[in-house]
Amino acid sequence: MADNEATRRTRSSAVYVISVAAELSGMHPQTLRIYERRGLVEPARTQGGNRRYSDADIAILRRISELTSEGMNLEGIRRVMHLEAENVRLRTELEQAREIALHAIAEAERSQAAGVRAAAGGGLVPLRQAVAVFGKRPSIFDRD
C-alpha cells in the first residue's frame, strides 16, 4: 500500500479480513464471530457477505480484550462500552455548551461595555433606587 493511500484511509474504513483483524486484535477468528453475534462489534460486509474490519473495530476488539482480561463477562463489557460511548457523547455536548456560554458571556460583556460608553455620553439615565422597610409604608413626603 502506498503512503498516500494509507493516509487517505480513515479510521472507519473497513479494510481488514477476519484473519487479519484477529491477528491485529490478538484474538481467534471464531472469537470475533462470537463478539459479532453478541452485538459487541459490527464489521462491514462486502457484497459477497465477507466481514471487513476497520481500525475502529480493531480498537473495540482490543478494548474488549482488556475488559475480559480483567474478568468481566460479555454483558458487563456491553454495558461498559455503552457507558463509555455515552460519556464521550456527553463530554462533547458539554464542551459545545461551554463554548456557547463563553460566547454569550463575551457578547454580554461587549454589550455592557457599549452601554457604559453610551451612559458616559448621556444616552442612559441612572435609575433611582428606593429602600423599603418592612412594616412601614413609604410616603411621597419622605426624603430619600
Side-chain angles (χ1 to χ4, degrees):
M1 184 181 302
D3 283 343
N4 59 350
E5 214 178 303
T7 56
R8 271 189 273 135
R9 184 177 49 130
T10 65
R11 185 168 159 76
S12 61
S13 296
V15 295
Y16 304 114
V17 295
I18 193 167
S19 60
V20 174
E23 187 176 329
L24 290 171
S25 63
M27 298 177 181
H28 192 277
Q30 188 61 33
T31 305
L32 274 59
R33 292 183 188 99
I34 291 168
Y35 290 164
E36 181 184 2
R37 277 196 304 272
R38 299 281 177 93
L40 294 174
V41 66
E42 295 179 32
R45 296 281 183 155
T46 64
Q47 286 182 343
N50 295 322
R51 294 170 179 86
R52 291 292 185 267
Y53 292 84
S54 67
D55 289 332
D57 293 328
I58 302 301
I60 289 170
L61 292 169
R62 288 178 177 157
R63 180 67 177 137
I64 292 169
S65 181
E66 289 173 12
L67 294 171
T68 55
S69 68
E70 293 175 7
M72 194 170 287
N73 65 22
L74 294 183
E75 184 55 33
I77 291 170
R78 181 189 337 276
R79 289 182 183 181
V80 165
M81 291 176 62
H82 173 75
L83 290 171
E84 288 175 343
E86 180 72 3
N87 192 12
V88 167
R89 185 190 68 78
L90 290 172
R91 286 180 184 272
T92 302
E93 193 175 299
L94 176 61
E95 188 55 38
Q96 290 171 349
R98 281 184 177 148
E99 288 177 19
I100 290 168
L102 288 173
H103 179 73
I105 289 168
E107 186 62 33
E109 288 173 348
R110 280 192 296 275
S111 294
Q112 184 179 17
V116 168
R117 285 192 300 273
L124 294 178
V125 177
L127 175 66
R128 193 184 88 173
Q129 295 181 359
V131 177
V133 178
F134 182 75
K136 183 177 178 191
R137 265 185 115 175
S139 169
I140 59 169
F141 300 109
D142 291 340
R143 292 200 148 252
D144 289 339

PDB file of all heavy atoms in Angstrom, residues 32-57:
ATOM      1  N   LEU A  32     -14.021 -13.432  17.211  1.00  0.00           N
ATOM      2  CA  LEU A  32     -14.578 -12.254  16.543  1.00  0.00           C
ATOM      3  C   LEU A  32     -15.996 -12.529  16.063  1.00  0.00           C
ATOM      4  O   LEU A  32     -16.875 -11.668  16.171  1.00  0.00           O
ATOM      5  CB  LEU A  32     -13.697 -11.831  15.365  1.00  0.00           C
ATOM      6  CG  LEU A  32     -12.522 -10.913  15.698  1.00  0.00           C
ATOM      7  CD1 LEU A  32     -11.565 -11.489  16.690  1.00  0.00           C
ATOM      8  CD2 LEU A  32     -11.813 -10.497  14.435  1.00  0.00           C
ATOM      9  N   ARG A  33     -16.239 -13.732  15.563  1.00  0.00           N
ATOM     10  CA  ARG A  33     -17.592 -14.101  15.128  1.00  0.00           C
ATOM     11  C   ARG A  33     -18.556 -14.108  16.313  1.00  0.00           C
ATOM     12  O   ARG A  33     -19.704 -13.663  16.204  1.00  0.00           O
ATOM     13  CB  ARG A  33     -17.572 -15.463  14.432  1.00  0.00           C
ATOM     14  CG  ARG A  33     -16.852 -15.461  13.111  1.00  0.00           C
ATOM     15  CD  ARG A  33     -16.929 -16.846  12.442  1.00  0.00           C
ATOM     16  NE  ARG A  33     -16.074 -16.883  11.278  1.00  0.00           N
ATOM     17  CZ  ARG A  33     -14.850 -17.396  11.242  1.00  0.00           C
ATOM     18  NH1 ARG A  33     -14.312 -17.933  12.338  1.00  0.00           N
ATOM     19  NH2 ARG A  33     -14.136 -17.367  10.137  1.00  0.00           N
ATOM     20  N   ILE A  34     -18.094 -14.629  17.447  1.00  0.00           N
ATOM     21  CA  ILE A  34     -18.931 -14.656  18.653  1.00  0.00           C
ATOM     22  C   ILE A  34     -19.260 -13.235  19.089  1.00  0.00           C
ATOM     23  O   ILE A  34     -20.419 -12.919  19.399  1.00  0.00           O
ATOM     24  CB  ILE A  34     -18.231 -15.434  19.790  1.00  0.00           C
ATOM     25  CG1 ILE A  34     -18.150 -16.921  19.455  1.00  0.00           C
ATOM     26  CG2 ILE A  34     -18.944 -15.203  21.125  1.00  0.00           C
ATOM     27  CD1 ILE A  34     -17.239 -17.716  20.376  1.00  0.00           C
ATOM     28  N   TYR A  35     -18.258 -12.363  19.108  1.00  0.00           N
ATOM     29  CA  TYR A  35     -18.492 -10.976  19.518  1.00  0.00           C
ATOM     30  C   TYR A  35     -19.460 -10.276  18.572  1.00  0.00           C
ATOM     31  O   TYR A  35     -20.269  -9.458  18.995  1.00  0.00           O
ATOM     32  CB  TYR A  35     -17.175 -10.211  19.603  1.00  0.00           C
ATOM     33  CG  TYR A  35     -16.276 -10.649  20.752  1.00  0.00           C
ATOM     34  CD1 TYR A  35     -14.945 -10.301  20.772  1.00  0.00           C
ATOM     35  CD2 TYR A  35     -16.767 -11.412  21.808  1.00  0.00           C
ATOM     36  CE1 TYR A  35     -14.108 -10.689  21.811  1.00  0.00           C
ATOM     37  CE2 TYR A  35     -15.943 -11.804  22.846  1.00  0.00           C
ATOM     38  CZ  TYR A  35     -14.624 -11.451  22.843  1.00  0.00           C
ATOM     39  OH  TYR A  35     -13.812 -11.836  23.881  1.00  0.00           O
ATOM     40  N   GLU A  36     -19.384 -10.619  17.309  1.00  0.00           N
ATOM     41  CA  GLU A  36     -20.331 -10.029  16.357  1.00  0.00           C
ATOM     42  C   GLU A  36     -21.750 -10.528  16.648  1.00  0.00           C
ATOM     43  O   GLU A  36     -22.697  -9.738  16.675  1.00  0.00           O
ATOM     44  CB  GLU A  36     -19.939 -10.372  14.918  1.00  0.00           C
ATOM     45  CG  GLU A  36     -20.883  -9.752  13.910  1.00  0.00           C
ATOM     46  CD  GLU A  36     -20.580 -10.141  12.482  1.00  0.00           C
ATOM     47  OE1 GLU A  36     -19.639 -10.936  12.243  1.00  0.00           O
ATOM     48  OE2 GLU A  36     -21.291  -9.647  11.595  1.00  0.00           O
ATOM     49  N   ARG A  37     -21.902 -11.843  16.870  1.00  0.00           N
ATOM     50  CA  ARG A  37     -23.233 -12.381  17.191  1.00  0.00           C
ATOM     51  C   ARG A  37     -23.810 -11.760  18.455  1.00  0.00           C
ATOM     52  O   ARG A  37     -25.011 -11.538  18.561  1.00  0.00           O
ATOM     53  CB  ARG A  37     -23.159 -13.901  17.351  1.00  0.00           C
ATOM     54  CG  ARG A  37     -23.218 -14.647  16.047  1.00  0.00           C
ATOM     55  CD  ARG A  37     -23.534 -16.125  16.243  1.00  0.00           C
ATOM     56  NE  ARG A  37     -22.604 -16.814  17.133  1.00  0.00           N
ATOM     57  CZ  ARG A  37     -21.472 -17.390  16.738  1.00  0.00           C
ATOM     58  NH1 ARG A  37     -21.114 -17.363  15.467  1.00  0.00           N
ATOM     59  NH2 ARG A  37     -20.693 -18.001  17.604  1.00  0.00           N
ATOM     60  N   ARG A  38     -22.949 -11.461  19.427  1.00  0.00           N
ATOM     61  CA  ARG A  38     -23.393 -10.852  20.684  1.00  0.00           C
ATOM     62  C   ARG A  38     -23.596  -9.342  20.571  1.00  0.00           C
ATOM     63  O   ARG A  38     -23.991  -8.693  21.533  1.00  0.00           O
ATOM     64  CB  ARG A  38     -22.373 -11.137  21.787  1.00  0.00           C
ATOM     65  CG  ARG A  38     -22.171 -12.605  22.085  1.00  0.00           C
ATOM     66  CD  ARG A  38     -23.295 -13.150  22.944  1.00  0.00           C
ATOM     67  NE  ARG A  38     -23.175 -14.553  23.200  1.00  0.00           N
ATOM     68  CZ  ARG A  38     -22.576 -15.092  24.252  1.00  0.00           C
ATOM     69  NH1 ARG A  38     -22.025 -14.323  25.152  1.00  0.00           N
ATOM     70  NH2 ARG A  38     -22.531 -16.390  24.389  1.00  0.00           N
ATOM     71  N   GLY A  39     -23.275  -8.766  19.409  1.00  0.00           N
ATOM     72  CA  GLY A  39     -23.511  -7.339  19.188  1.00  0.00           C
ATOM     73  C   GLY A  39     -22.444  -6.422  19.752  1.00  0.00           C
ATOM     74  O   GLY A  39     -22.675  -5.225  19.891  1.00  0.00           O
ATOM     75  N   LEU A  40     -21.271  -6.962  20.064  1.00  0.00           N
ATOM     76  CA  LEU A  40     -20.201  -6.132  20.617  1.00  0.00           C
ATOM     77  C   LEU A  40     -19.411  -5.394  19.541  1.00  0.00           C
ATOM     78  O   LEU A  40     -18.823  -4.351  19.801  1.00  0.00           O
ATOM     79  CB  LEU A  40     -19.254  -6.983  21.464  1.00  0.00           C
ATOM     80  CG  LEU A  40     -19.872  -7.578  22.729  1.00  0.00           C
ATOM     81  CD1 LEU A  40     -18.887  -8.514  23.407  1.00  0.00           C
ATOM     82  CD2 LEU A  40     -20.300  -6.483  23.678  1.00  0.00           C
ATOM     83  N   VAL A  41     -19.373  -5.960  18.345  1.00  0.00           N
ATOM     84  CA  VAL A  41     -18.677  -5.331  17.224  1.00  0.00           C
ATOM     85  C   VAL A  41     -19.516  -5.590  15.971  1.00  0.00           C
ATOM     86  O   VAL A  41     -20.165  -6.630  15.857  1.00  0.00           O
ATOM     87  CB  VAL A  41     -17.228  -5.878  17.081  1.00  0.00           C
ATOM     88  CG1 VAL A  41     -17.207  -7.333  16.694  1.00  0.00           C
ATOM     89  CG2 VAL A  41     -16.425  -5.047  16.115  1.00  0.00           C
ATOM     90  N   GLU A  42     -19.531  -4.609  15.075  1.00  0.00           N
ATOM     91  CA  GLU A  42     -20.319  -4.744  13.848  1.00  0.00           C
ATOM     92  C   GLU A  42     -19.443  -4.449  12.634  1.00  0.00           C
ATOM     93  O   GLU A  42     -19.399  -3.315  12.151  1.00  0.00           O
ATOM     94  CB  GLU A  42     -21.506  -3.776  13.872  1.00  0.00           C
ATOM     95  CG  GLU A  42     -22.504  -4.065  14.950  1.00  0.00           C
ATOM     96  CD  GLU A  42     -23.654  -3.077  14.961  1.00  0.00           C
ATOM     97  OE1 GLU A  42     -24.025  -2.572  13.883  1.00  0.00           O
ATOM     98  OE2 GLU A  42     -24.161  -2.803  16.049  1.00  0.00           O
ATOM     99  N   PRO A  43     -18.741  -5.466  12.138  1.00  0.00           N
ATOM    100  CA  PRO A  43     -17.897  -5.232  10.965  1.00  0.00           C
ATOM    101  C   PRO A  43     -18.753  -4.980   9.724  1.00  0.00           C
ATOM    102  O   PRO A  43     -19.915  -5.397   9.666  1.00  0.00           O
ATOM    103  CB  PRO A  43     -17.111  -6.541  10.837  1.00  0.00           C
ATOM    104  CG  PRO A  43     -17.978  -7.571  11.477  1.00  0.00           C
ATOM    105  CD  PRO A  43     -18.703  -6.859  12.587  1.00  0.00           C
ATOM    106  N   ALA A  44     -18.172  -4.295   8.768  1.00  0.00           N
ATOM    107  CA  ALA A  44     -18.862  -4.066   7.493  1.00  0.00           C
ATOM    108  C   ALA A  44     -18.879  -5.394   6.735  1.00  0.00           C
ATOM    109  O   ALA A  44     -18.162  -6.334   7.077  1.00  0.00           O
ATOM    110  CB  ALA A  44     -18.121  -2.997   6.701  1.00  0.00           C
ATOM    111  N   ARG A  45     -19.718  -5.446   5.725  1.00  0.00           N
ATOM    112  CA  ARG A  45     -19.800  -6.654   4.898  1.00  0.00           C
ATOM    113  C   ARG A  45     -19.607  -6.273   3.439  1.00  0.00           C
ATOM    114  O   ARG A  45     -20.061  -5.227   2.996  1.00  0.00           O
ATOM    115  CB  ARG A  45     -21.170  -7.327   5.045  1.00  0.00           C
ATOM    116  CG  ARG A  45     -21.488  -7.859   6.413  1.00  0.00           C
ATOM    117  CD  ARG A  45     -20.804  -9.170   6.619  1.00  0.00           C
ATOM    118  NE  ARG A  45     -21.173  -9.735   7.914  1.00  0.00           N
ATOM    119  CZ  ARG A  45     -21.140 -11.024   8.167  1.00  0.00           C
ATOM    120  NH1 ARG A  45     -20.793 -11.876   7.224  1.00  0.00           N
ATOM    121  NH2 ARG A  45     -21.433 -11.467   9.360  1.00  0.00           N
ATOM    122  N   THR A  46     -18.914  -7.141   2.708  1.00  0.00           N
ATOM    123  CA  THR A  46     -18.781  -6.946   1.274  1.00  0.00           C
ATOM    124  C   THR A  46     -20.081  -7.398   0.618  1.00  0.00           C
ATOM    125  O   THR A  46     -20.954  -7.977   1.276  1.00  0.00           O
ATOM    126  CB  THR A  46     -17.613  -7.774   0.703  1.00  0.00           C
ATOM    127  OG1 THR A  46     -17.914  -9.168   0.882  1.00  0.00           O
ATOM    128  CG2 THR A  46     -16.301  -7.419   1.383  1.00  0.00           C
ATOM    129  N   GLN A  47     -20.198  -7.175  -0.675  1.00  0.00           N
ATOM    130  CA  GLN A  47     -21.389  -7.634  -1.395  1.00  0.00           C
ATOM    131  C   GLN A  47     -21.507  -9.152  -1.323  1.00  0.00           C
ATOM    132  O   GLN A  47     -22.606  -9.690  -1.330  1.00  0.00           O
ATOM    133  CB  GLN A  47     -21.343  -7.178  -2.853  1.00  0.00           C
ATOM    134  CG  GLN A  47     -21.617  -5.700  -3.004  1.00  0.00           C
ATOM    135  CD  GLN A  47     -21.609  -5.277  -4.472  1.00  0.00           C
ATOM    136  OE1 GLN A  47     -21.104  -5.977  -5.342  1.00  0.00           O
ATOM    137  NE2 GLN A  47     -22.174  -4.105  -4.720  1.00  0.00           N
ATOM    138  N   GLY A  48     -20.389  -9.828  -1.227  1.00  0.00           N
ATOM    139  CA  GLY A  48     -20.383 -11.286  -1.106  1.00  0.00           C
ATOM    140  C   GLY A  48     -20.655 -11.772   0.309  1.00  0.00           C
ATOM    141  O   GLY A  48     -20.717 -12.974   0.551  1.00  0.00           O
ATOM    142  N   GLY A  49     -20.759 -10.840   1.281  1.00  0.00           N
ATOM    143  CA  GLY A  49     -21.069 -11.214   2.661  1.00  0.00           C
ATOM    144  C   GLY A  49     -19.862 -11.411   3.552  1.00  0.00           C
ATOM    145  O   GLY A  49     -20.004 -11.809   4.714  1.00  0.00           O
ATOM    146  N   ASN A  50     -18.668 -11.163   3.039  1.00  0.00           N
ATOM    147  CA  ASN A  50     -17.463 -11.319   3.860  1.00  0.00           C
ATOM    148  C   ASN A  50     -17.306 -10.132   4.808  1.00  0.00           C
ATOM    149  O   ASN A  50     -17.606  -8.994   4.462  1.00  0.00           O
ATOM    150  CB  ASN A  50     -16.224 -11.433   2.975  1.00  0.00           C
ATOM    151  CG  ASN A  50     -16.247 -12.691   2.130  1.00  0.00           C
ATOM    152  OD1 ASN A  50     -16.675 -13.737   2.591  1.00  0.00           O
ATOM    153  ND2 ASN A  50     -15.798 -12.577   0.892  1.00  0.00           N
ATOM    154  N   ARG A  51     -16.808 -10.423   6.005  1.00  0.00           N
ATOM    155  CA  ARG A  51     -16.594  -9.378   7.006  1.00  0.00           C
ATOM    156  C   ARG A  51     -15.373  -8.545   6.645  1.00  0.00           C
ATOM    157  O   ARG A  51     -14.364  -9.077   6.199  1.00  0.00           O
ATOM    158  CB  ARG A  51     -16.369  -9.995   8.388  1.00  0.00           C
ATOM    159  CG  ARG A  51     -17.548 -10.709   8.958  1.00  0.00           C
ATOM    160  CD  ARG A  51     -17.128 -11.494  10.206  1.00  0.00           C
ATOM    161  NE  ARG A  51     -18.244 -12.192  10.803  1.00  0.00           N
ATOM    162  CZ  ARG A  51     -18.653 -13.408  10.420  1.00  0.00           C
ATOM    163  NH1 ARG A  51     -18.031 -14.047   9.457  1.00  0.00           N
ATOM    164  NH2 ARG A  51     -19.673 -13.967  11.019  1.00  0.00           N
ATOM    165  N   ARG A  52     -15.483  -7.242   6.918  1.00  0.00           N
ATOM    166  CA  ARG A  52     -14.348  -6.336   6.767  1.00  0.00           C
ATOM    167  C   ARG A  52     -14.296  -5.466   8.014  1.00  0.00           C
ATOM    168  O   ARG A  52     -15.271  -4.819   8.370  1.00  0.00           O
ATOM    169  CB  ARG A  52     -14.487  -5.445   5.520  1.00  0.00           C
ATOM    170  CG  ARG A  52     -14.365  -6.172   4.203  1.00  0.00           C
ATOM    171  CD  ARG A  52     -12.934  -6.681   3.985  1.00  0.00           C
ATOM    172  NE  ARG A  52     -12.755  -7.277   2.669  1.00  0.00           N
ATOM    173  CZ  ARG A  52     -12.891  -8.559   2.408  1.00  0.00           C
ATOM    174  NH1 ARG A  52     -13.214  -9.398   3.358  1.00  0.00           N
ATOM    175  NH2 ARG A  52     -12.691  -9.005   1.183  1.00  0.00           N
ATOM    176  N   TYR A  53     -13.140  -5.471   8.664  1.00  0.00           N
ATOM    177  CA  TYR A  53     -12.954  -4.740   9.913  1.00  0.00           C
ATOM    178  C   TYR A  53     -12.172  -3.452   9.668  1.00  0.00           C
ATOM    179  O   TYR A  53     -11.258  -3.410   8.860  1.00  0.00           O
ATOM    180  CB  TYR A  53     -12.221  -5.615  10.936  1.00  0.00           C
ATOM    181  CG  TYR A  53     -13.042  -6.789  11.410  1.00  0.00           C
ATOM    182  CD1 TYR A  53     -13.074  -7.967  10.680  1.00  0.00           C
ATOM    183  CD2 TYR A  53     -13.800  -6.706  12.571  1.00  0.00           C
ATOM    184  CE1 TYR A  53     -13.831  -9.053  11.098  1.00  0.00           C
ATOM    185  CE2 TYR A  53     -14.556  -7.787  12.996  1.00  0.00           C
ATOM    186  CZ  TYR A  53     -14.573  -8.953  12.259  1.00  0.00           C
ATOM    187  OH  TYR A  53     -15.337 -10.017  12.672  1.00  0.00           O
ATOM    188  N   SER A  54     -12.509  -2.415  10.413  1.00  0.00           N
ATOM    189  CA  SER A  54     -11.820  -1.125  10.318  1.00  0.00           C
ATOM    190  C   SER A  54     -10.866  -0.977  11.498  1.00  0.00           C
ATOM    191  O   SER A  54     -10.862  -1.796  12.427  1.00  0.00           O
ATOM    192  CB  SER A  54     -12.850   0.009  10.348  1.00  0.00           C
ATOM    193  OG  SER A  54     -13.478   0.047  11.622  1.00  0.00           O
ATOM    194  N   ASP A  55     -10.083   0.095  11.472  1.00  0.00           N
ATOM    195  CA  ASP A  55      -9.210   0.395  12.616  1.00  0.00           C
ATOM    196  C   ASP A  55     -10.042   0.632  13.876  1.00  0.00           C
ATOM    197  O   ASP A  55      -9.637   0.256  14.977  1.00  0.00           O
ATOM    198  CB  ASP A  55      -8.342   1.620  12.313  1.00  0.00           C
ATOM    199  CG  ASP A  55      -7.262   1.328  11.280  1.00  0.00           C
ATOM    200  OD1 ASP A  55      -6.824   0.163  11.192  1.00  0.00           O
ATOM    201  OD2 ASP A  55      -6.865   2.265  10.573  1.00  0.00           O
ATOM    202  N   ALA A  56     -11.203   1.253  13.721  1.00  0.00           N
ATOM    203  CA  ALA A  56     -12.091   1.486  14.872  1.00  0.00           C
ATOM    204  C   ALA A  56     -12.578   0.153  15.435  1.00  0.00           C
ATOM    205  O   ALA A  56     -12.660  -0.017  16.665  1.00  0.00           O
ATOM    206  CB  ALA A  56     -13.264   2.370  14.465  1.00  0.00           C
ATOM    207  N   ASP A  57     -12.897  -0.807  14.553  1.00  0.00           N
ATOM    208  CA  ASP A  57     -13.311  -2.138  15.011  1.00  0.00           C
ATOM    209  C   ASP A  57     -12.175  -2.825  15.768  1.00  0.00           C
ATOM    210  O   ASP A  57     -12.407  -3.463  16.803  1.00  0.00           O
ATOM    211  CB  ASP A  57     -13.729  -3.014  13.823  1.00  0.00           C
ATOM    212  CG  ASP A  57     -14.986  -2.527  13.130  1.00  0.00           C
ATOM    213  OD1 ASP A  57     -15.864  -1.949  13.807  1.00  0.00           O
ATOM    214  OD2 ASP A  57     -15.081  -2.729  11.897  1.00  0.00           O
TER     215      ASP A  57
END
